[in-house]
Amino acid sequence: MKPILYFLFIACLFTACSSEQTPRHVYTLEEGWKFINQDIENGQKPGINTDTWETVTIPHDWAIKGPFDKEVDKQTVRIEQNQENTATEKTGRTGALPYIGVGWYRNSFEVPEFQKGKKVLLVFDGAMSEPQVFINGEKVGEWKYGYAYFYFDITKLLLPGKENLLAVRLENLGESSRWYPGAGLYRKVQLVVKDNTSFKQWGTFITTPYVSEASAQVNIKSEIAGENIKVVTEIRDEKGNMVASGTTEQLFGNKAEQNLAVPNPKLWDTETPHLYHASMKLYSGNELKDEQTIRFGIRDVKYERGKGLVLNGKATKFKGVCLHHDLGPLGAAVNVAALKRQLTILKDMGCNAIRSSHNMPSHEQLELCDEMGFLFLAESFDEWKRPKVKNGYNRFFDEYAEKDVVNLVRATRNHPCIVMWSAGNEVPDQWGNEGIKRGKWLQDIFHREDPTRPVTVGMDQVANTLKNGFGAIWDIPGLNYRLPLYNEAYERFPQGFILGSETASTVSSRGVYKFPAEQFKQKTYPDGQCSSYDLEACSWSNVPDEDFYWQDNFDWVIGEFVWTGFDYLGEPTPYDEYWPSRSSYFGICDLAGLPKDRYYLYRSKWNTRQETLHLLPHWNWEGREGETIPVFAYTNYDSAELFVNGKSMGVQKKNNDSLLTRNRLMWTNVKYEPGSIKVVALDNSGNPAAEKEIRTAGAPHHLVLEADRKDIIPDGKDLSYVTVSVVDKDGNLCPNADNQLRFKVGGAGKFKVVCNGDATSLEMFHLPTMKAFNGQLVVTVESLKEAGAITFEVTGEGLEAGKIELESI
């Protein structure tokens, strides 16, 4: 079965297409793939029977459907501390999902434009992992790192005018990851058909070395294959207006360079992420040979001592989060709608930066960050030469590290969102002189490929790197936690600032509250949950308020990247030796994407444009009548008054008595009685400005459905996320409800997955039933390739059904 080849050609995006024949074609291989999750002898050969293989669409993650099993990749982990090893056995470390093993993918395609004088590239955005690639039974090549971008020239192996067979063998070994990596062709695969005289793949680099209000210099360097060439470039703004143009016929070696002036440029920043397009045509003589359109932003990025990032002349702190690449119940398979939902939620929180932890990001994520105004720290590796896990990247470092860094930089360097590279995270190579040499070598590669951006690394062994010089070599010293060493690091490191490259690691479960409400480290409970009073952290980490102190008071602390924006599959600390527990507790939002209480704490600090007033905990505490239930409010107001059933509990005002009271309003001696709690925020004059009320809910009565998007695109990929809430007869959320719910989608859509955010749940995401967790869950509805109405109904025993209508248009 031949796939549908999705044709992408954007050179005519902002201009009327000329009569010149289009010389470049890009096809995305999405459909018609055959897949089997086992090793097949000669699986690359034409003619083998694949009738029993599964038909899948790429991107695809073979392991996300489970089942969960604590025996999957149970690892004995050795933690290097002061050059001594301690070992613990971890379950759920990689999500307890069956990612280990071999998978084969096959697809057939034709290339109608293929003829003499043309070349065809096969481009992978990532393949998990150790891909071996074959065309018509012949091996094209292989790669190793599952997160790397790579491509092969397959011209010599293609059959003109005939079907061609593409086969890919992937293998994930056990003990190859510290979190759920996903499995399979989880990012897109493309064919690029172009002339032999052409722009080199990832060979064009656009920078803006001079920026002012009056004009901006746009420098374009392009690597070109061919002779007697001419490059014609037009720069257009977001409305399609041409703002600059230029022509060059000079080649220096294989490089052409142009400098174009854009008058009155609209700058890219986090609030107004203006974008431009450079449409480039390559001629040999008078014949059009190639063309490409590259999107970029005009912005001035500097790093200054004592200030850090200066974006367009303004000192800008990183208010960032770390994100693993999985999309919760969708697994590792890339989906634009899912990524955009994450970023939309984070943008509302006031987040302005993303760190791709601890791997190379997807192009789709970078494109969205360009459009939405997120700064981006693009990370490369979690491991160098010295291993963290037995079968990790350490096996490939010597042969592949330079190639992987080169591909990372060249494939992504035109994204204006990227303002920093990271060469690694918490690498054991922090110890010893060899690690310093490796770090310097890696940083030099980044500088060679991109002289415009600095390089960092996330260091957790800070006391050691202060002594041995490892921390001094980096453009930007990144500290993972280690707040007590911030002052010493600033004084001893030469750079003049430090970055909180990984911060907080506070742990919580949405809607779960434990007593007493006190600060704990590495606290565990019999139910496998963490308290949402946001007072619990890991042995090495801290609550958010400790990082806020450094961000607020010291300009040389240039920002933070909180671990993590969303819960992710795997690494269920502090329950990594507990079962069942198969996903993390670190997220500001849970695995379903629902905000935890902590979301509003960050929002009250980071989102300065909108009002925040959030009250916790819930008010259903049957059996605790008369006992103390501390009440917190997260707000950007300085003071508020609390009422219990109309009776004032007094006014609390933010103060400097402790780190907690700087950011939280806390009534610690409230006695529980059923009814309601209400907080009234006060303005600077002491007048009521906003209020929030929570009522004691009655018995579960019916279901309320709320979609993040009611209108979606009929492309077979777009998603609507529907939050399902169990409420009482008056519409109050039932915060302890765990009803088993069932889902039915009809019309022009289908049920995709469901998630309730419970790290201990072993229910499968892809089945249309799941228990509510603390009264809520989220169902993902996917469009079909047809327009029309979509109906979605949720039922549960003893509950009035919930219904919602969506539209695929």
Side-chain angles (χ1 to χ4, degrees):
M1 177 181 178
K2 286 186 290 187
I4 297 176
L5 298 180
Y6 287 88
F7 177 44
L8 304 176
F9 178 62
I10 58 174
C12 297
L13 185 61
F14 291 96
T15 59
C17 293
S18 71
S19 59
E20 294 174 306
Q21 184 180 2
T22 300
R24 174 185 288 241
H25 300 262
V26 181
Y27 297 105
T28 300
L29 301 173
E30 287 189 346
E31 297 188 350
W33 289 86
K34 303 294 285 187
F35 166 74
I36 191 166
N37 189 192
Q38 65 185 66
D39 206 358
I40 301 294
E41 185 178 0
N42 294 321
Q44 78 278 15
K45 295 295 185 182
I48 68 171
N49 190 332
T50 60
D51 290 346
T52 60
W53 293 29
E54 184 181 359
T55 301
V56 300
T57 300
I58 303 301
H60 175 247
D61 180 350
W62 83 55
I64 190 59
K65 290 186 177 181
F68 297 107
D69 183 350
K70 71 176 181 177
E71 298 302 319
V72 172
D73 206 12
K74 185 185 288 186
Q75 296 183 16
T76 300
V77 176
R78 299 189 179 278
I79 302 174
E80 193 164 7
Q81 185 77 20
N82 298 325
Q83 297 183 318
E84 295 181 3
N85 287 332
T86 59
T88 58
E89 187 174 76
K90 310 278 189 180
T91 59
R93 182 173 172 81
T94 51
L97 288 163
Y99 78 96
I100 297 170
V102 175
W104 277 93
Y105 292 84
R106 289 166 59 99
N107 208 339
S108 296
F109 62 91
E110 293 180 6
V111 187
E113 298 82 15
F114 183 51
Q115 54 189 285
K116 187 176 181 180
K118 295 284 189 179
K119 68 169 61 176
V120 181
L121 305 181
L122 178 62
V123 185
F124 292 82
D125 282 7
M128 193 63 68
S129 59
E130 302 188 43
Q132 298 181 48
V133 180
F134 305 84
I135 294 289
N136 298 322
E138 298 296 323
K139 188 170 182 177
V140 177
E142 63 183 26
W143 214 261
K144 296 298 182 183
Y145 192 30
Y147 296 105
Y149 323 113
F150 60 97
Y151 66 92
F152 301 114
D153 186 334
I154 61 173
T155 307
K156 293 181 180 179
L157 295 175
L158 289 182
L159 303 174
K162 297 182 180 179
E163 276 197 0
N164 293 274
L165 173 66
L166 166 61
V168 183
R169 182 189 186 274
L170 299 167
E171 182 171 12
N172 283 335
L173 300 179
E175 297 187 69
S176 60
S177 181
R178 298 190 303 118
W179 56 84
Y180 176 68
L185 294 176
Y186 71 108
R187 292 180 180 170
K188 68 178 179 287
V189 180
Q190 292 184 309
L191 290 171
V192 178
V193 186
K194 60 180 183 174
D195 200 273
N196 284 328
T197 297
S198 57
F199 295 106
K200 184 177 178 181
Q201 179 74 6
W202 306 330
T204 298
F205 188 16
I206 301 178
T207 59
T208 54
Y210 175 80
V211 177
S212 72
E213 289 187 9
S215 66
Q217 174 191 1
V218 178
N219 178 267
I220 306 175
K221 295 183 176 73
S222 299
E223 295 181 49
I224 294 170
E227 297 177 349
N228 188 27
I229 63 92
K230 177 175 65 175
V231 178
V232 178
T233 299
E234 295 179 345
I235 296 177
R236 296 181 181 272
D237 65 17
E238 294 163 308
K239 295 181 179 180
N241 301 311
M242 189 171 69
V243 296
S245 63
T247 300
T248 183
E249 298 183 22
Q250 288 185 310
L251 269 184
F252 300 93
N254 69 339
K255 293 187 174 104
E257 183 170 359
Q258 294 174 281
N259 283 287
L260 306 180
V262 174
N264 306 311
K266 294 181 178 179
L267 304 188
W268 185 97
D269 63 23
T270 58
E271 297 297 326
T272 54
H274 295 292
L275 295 168
Y276 289 83
H277 293 76
S279 296
M280 306 176 67
K281 293 186 177 183
L282 175 65
Y283 293 87
S284 179
N286 293 318
E287 184 180 358
L288 180 64
K289 290 292 188 177
D290 197 12
E291 56 188 320
Q292 61 181 3
T293 296
I294 297 175
R295 191 171 70 173
F296 68 99
I298 297 175
R299 81 282 194 277
D300 181 54
V301 174
K302 293 183 176 70
Y303 288 84
E304 297 182 6
R305 294 182 65 86
K307 292 181 181 180
L309 172 64
V310 181
L311 178 63
N312 301 328
K314 180 181 178 181
T316 303
K317 287 217 178 193
F318 292 99
K319 298 183 289 187
V321 301
C322 303
L323 289 179
H324 267 315
H325 69 300
D326 79 66
L327 294 169
L330 294 175
V334 167
N335 181 280
V336 172
L339 287 165
K340 188 170 185 178
R341 177 191 180 232
Q342 281 192 339
L343 294 174
T344 300
I345 292 169
L346 292 172
K347 196 75 172 180
D348 179 71
M349 188 177 73
C351 173
N352 71 358
I354 305 296
R355 174 189 181 216
S356 61
S357 311
H358 304 292
N359 44 261
M360 300 165 183
S362 69
H363 288 291
E364 291 84 352
Q365 185 182 45
L366 293 173
E367 289 162 2
L368 287 168
C369 287
D370 287 344
E371 295 165 9
M372 299 175 70
F374 283 90
L375 307 168
F376 206 93
L377 195 172
E379 198 150 82
S380 50
F381 308 119
D382 187 51
E383 192 176 87
W384 294 350
K385 182 69 173 176
R386 297 181 67 174
K388 292 183 182 180
V389 288
K390 176 183 174 182
N391 293 314
Y393 191 75
N394 64 88
R395 296 176 295 145
F396 316 127
F397 182 83
D398 287 342
E399 182 182 357
Y400 276 87
E402 181 171 6
K403 292 188 287 188
D404 285 335
V405 169
V406 168
N407 284 2
L408 165 65
V409 175
R410 293 190 178 187
T412 66
R413 60 190 172 181
N414 293 316
H415 289 283
C417 64
I418 297 179
V419 294
M420 193 188 315
W421 306 108
S422 170
N425 170 70
E426 298 182 0
V427 294
D429 310 67
Q430 291 169 89
W431 299 94
N433 291 330
E434 286 302 313
I436 297 174
K437 293 177 182 178
R438 289 181 195 121
K440 183 67 168 61
W441 175 70
L442 284 170
Q443 183 167 248
D444 287 346
I445 297 169
F446 276 105
H447 287 167
R448 182 191 73 204
E449 298 300 320
D450 177 12
T452 72
R453 293 179 176 94
V455 183
T456 188
V457 70
M459 297 178 287
D460 62 330
Q461 302 299 316
V462 178
N464 174 66
T465 63
L466 282 165
K467 297 175 184 176
N468 71 359
F470 183 90
I473 69 172
W474 301 99
D475 300 326
I476 296 178
L479 274 61
N480 288 7
Y481 317 104
R482 309 301 184 261
L483 294 176
L485 294 175
Y486 267 32
N487 268 323
E488 185 180 359
Y490 172 60
E491 292 171 359
R492 294 181 59 181
F493 286 151
Q495 296 90 341
F497 47 71
I498 60 173
L499 170 69
S501 46
E502 193 169 310
T503 64
S505 273
T506 306
V507 289
S508 62
S509 303
R510 176 183 53 80
V512 174
Y513 305 92
K514 303 292 188 180
F515 306 102
E518 297 175 352
Q519 286 189 254
F520 287 108
K521 293 287 184 76
Q522 212 69 18
K523 181 72 171 178
T524 58
Y525 303 91
D527 62 356
Q529 305 292 351
C530 297
S531 178
S532 198
Y533 275 112
D534 304 321
L535 295 171
E536 297 179 3
C538 301
S539 58
W540 68 88
S541 63
N542 52 268
V543 296
D545 312 74
E546 297 179 52
D547 289 299
F548 291 154
Y549 168 79
W550 290 96
Q551 307 299 324
D552 291 344
N553 293 312
F554 302 97
D555 290 339
W556 48 266
V557 180
I558 68 173
E560 66 172 316
F561 289 88
V562 180
W563 192 262
T564 53
F566 288 76
D567 281 338
Y568 55 92
L569 292 163
E571 207 171 24
T573 313
Y575 292 104
D576 44 14
E577 298 173 51
Y578 170 97
W579 186 259
S581 192
R582 45 68 174 155
S583 56
S584 79
Y585 299 78
F586 297 115
I588 296 171
C589 300
D590 71 15
L591 197 70
L594 294 172
K596 302 179 186 178
D597 293 295
R598 200 166 1 124
Y599 177 91
Y600 301 96
L601 178 59
Y602 282 101
R603 193 179 193 273
S604 72
K605 294 285 293 183
W606 287 357
N607 187 336
T608 59
R609 297 193 172 194
Q610 293 177 290
E611 178 184 277
T612 296
L613 181 58
H614 179 73
L615 189 60
L616 66 137
H618 63 72
W619 209 239
N620 274 62
W621 298 104
E622 185 177 359
R624 293 187 62 90
E625 290 79 4
E627 296 185 32
T628 298
I629 304 290
V631 177
F632 292 3
Y634 298 153
T635 180
N636 50 7
Y637 292 98
D638 284 336
S639 62
E641 186 173 9
L642 179 70
F643 298 86
V644 178
N645 292 330
K647 181 181 177 181
S648 175
M649 297 291 107
V651 174
Q652 291 290 333
K653 184 176 179 62
K654 293 176 184 176
N655 58 72
N656 292 325
D657 291 348
S658 72
L659 293 183
L660 294 183
T661 57
R662 288 167 64 108
N663 308 297
R664 313 176 189 219
L665 301 176
M666 301 182 292
W667 294 262
T668 58
N669 293 313
V670 178
K671 305 297 182 183
Y672 174 64
E673 57 184 63
S676 75
I677 52 173
K678 181 171 72 173
V679 65
V680 179
L682 307 175
D683 64 19
N684 292 335
S685 300
N687 299 314
E691 65 178 51
K692 178 78 173 182
E693 185 172 18
I694 299 175
R695 297 182 179 275
T696 304
H701 179 267
H702 63 277
L703 298 164
V704 173
L705 278 55
E706 183 178 2
D708 70 329
R709 299 165 62 221
K710 284 196 170 183
D711 295 334
I712 57 177
I713 300 169
D715 61 359
K717 296 180 287 187
D718 204 7
L719 305 174
S720 176
Y721 284 84
V722 182
T723 300
V724 181
S725 300
V726 182
V727 301
D728 68 7
K729 61 181 178 62
D730 297 318
N732 298 303
L733 177 70
C734 297
N736 300 314
D738 61 355
N739 305 68
Q740 189 77 42
L741 305 179
R742 293 172 177 80
F743 321 112
K744 185 178 180 181
V745 180
K750 68 177 182 178
F751 169 83
K752 182 68 173 178
V753 290
V754 58
C755 185
N756 61 12
D758 179 4
T760 70
S761 172
L762 300 182
E763 294 183 276
M764 295 292 97
F765 301 130
H766 68 286
L767 300 178
T769 180
M770 185 171 281
K771 283 186 176 182
F773 178 58
N774 295 328
Q776 292 185 304
L777 51 73
V778 177
V779 177
T780 306
V781 176
E782 185 176 57
S783 68
L784 301 179
K785 289 187 175 180
E786 60 184 52
I790 302 171
T791 60
F792 176 44
E793 181 178 18
V794 184
T795 58
E797 187 174 350
L799 299 171
E800 289 186 7
K803 297 180 181 180
I804 193 171
E805 288 195 0
L806 311 173
E807 191 78 19
S808 181
I809 55 175

